[in-house]
Amino acid sequence: MKRRVAILISGRGSNMAALIRAAAQPDFPAEIAVVISNRGDAAGLQKAAESGIAVEVIESKPFGKDRAGFEAKLQAALDARGIEIICLAGFMRLFTAEFVQHWYGRMLNIHPSLLPSFPGLDPHGQALRAGVKLSGATVHFVIPETDAGPIVMQGAVVVRDDDTPETLSTRILGVEHRIYPEALKLLARDLVRLEGDLCRTTATEQADQVMIWPVVS
Ligand code: GRF
């Protein structure tokens, strides 16, 4: 039985599209049962509908600071569709600790940095200002703290001296689109387990890979 997944978006939905594409493969262990946006103008909604995925809009703005009120409506939509796993993909609304606790171990997020470095806003600018030579993307379980939680998977890219936040973001986005489906696959196949604040996996092939940058010949 495929695990039933809801993707939550607020914007363009390129990670959503990558998840939808991967889940279209017959042997993928999860199906995208619904895409839910908290904004009616999210560009990703149209992409999802074009892929034949059910879409729902639950506007968060009318709820203002009433986060629990918004979440009650969201939870009802998730329950109605028998959702087992949530993937946040550019979802720009904070949750209450209660909602996060309810979904702990079953809700993933992706962030465009190698967490715990550079959480929050402008991670690409933060990486460039820090002068790191490698950056990347992280898929993690969601906890109440923003852009934190047990790390499921990371992918790295080199940071070039001439990178701008835009060029770095484009390169990292390519990695995001690769690792999010892979991380979801691990979770849906029960190949990850939580040990305290850490996420462990049995996937250990090629565990000796290294990436060194810059390379001087
Ligand atoms: C991605 O960079 C993701 O890592 C971050 O928000 C962005 C969403 O982009 N959480 P998209 O909507 O998936 O294209």
Side-chain angles (χ1 to χ4, degrees):
M1 276 291 276
K2 293 193 180 220
R3 311 295 297 278
R4 292 179 63 77
V5 174
I7 305 177
L8 271 52
I9 64 168
S10 302
R12 74 186 157 178
S14 73
N15 278 288
M16 171 209 77
L19 290 167
I20 290 174
R21 235 183 348 263
Q25 298 303 312
D27 60 345
F28 199 83
E31 65 178 299
I32 311 305
V34 67
V35 168
I36 301 176
S37 174
N38 67 324
R39 298 180 55 130
D41 61 357
L45 284 170
Q46 199 185 333
K47 286 187 210 166
E50 282 166 8
S51 306
I53 306 288
V55 297
E56 282 191 39
V57 177
I58 304 175
E59 290 283 356
S60 55
K61 212 168 185 178
F63 287 94
K65 287 189 176 143
D66 177 17
R67 286 198 269 154
F70 169 74
E71 288 164 5
K73 206 163 168 190
L74 175 60
Q75 185 64 51
L78 298 168
D79 288 342
R81 293 183 185 271
I83 297 303
E84 305 168 85
I85 295 172
I86 296 176
C87 289
L88 304 181
F91 186 69
M92 304 300 284
R93 171 117 182 157
L94 297 176
F95 291 117
T96 62
E98 289 72 28
F99 186 86
V100 171
Q101 199 50 47
H102 177 74
W103 283 95
Y104 182 65
R106 300 179 296 147
M107 178 155 62
L108 298 173
N109 182 44
I110 187 157
H111 181 76
S113 75
L114 293 175
L115 291 174
S117 293
F118 319 134
L121 294 177
D122 189 25
H124 308 102
Q126 290 188 58
L128 292 176
R129 285 191 293 278
V132 293
K133 302 304 178 210
L134 300 172
S135 190
T138 303
V139 179
H140 63 95
F141 285 108
V142 176
I143 62 171
E145 194 185 331
T146 306
D147 299 329
I151 292 171
V152 180
M153 192 175 284
Q154 295 184 306
V157 301
V158 304
V159 181
R160 298 164 47 135
D161 284 352
D162 60 356
D163 263 328
T164 63
E166 291 70 32
T167 59
L168 183 57
S169 138
T170 302
R171 204 167 326 110
I172 290 177
L173 198 60
V175 170
E176 294 184 47
H177 298 166
R178 286 172 62 186
I179 65 171
Y180 212 170
E182 290 302 317
L184 174 59
K185 209 191 274 180
L186 283 183
L187 175 59
R189 287 202 180 131
D190 283 326
L191 292 175
V192 291
R193 61 180 190 284
L194 286 165
E195 284 178 11
D197 294 340
L198 305 182
C199 171
R200 305 289 195 192
T201 173
T202 47
T204 52
E205 273 178 48
Q206 302 176 43
D208 56 354
Q209 289 193 80
V210 295
M211 195 168 180
I212 296 170
W213 186 257
V215 173
V216 182
S217 53

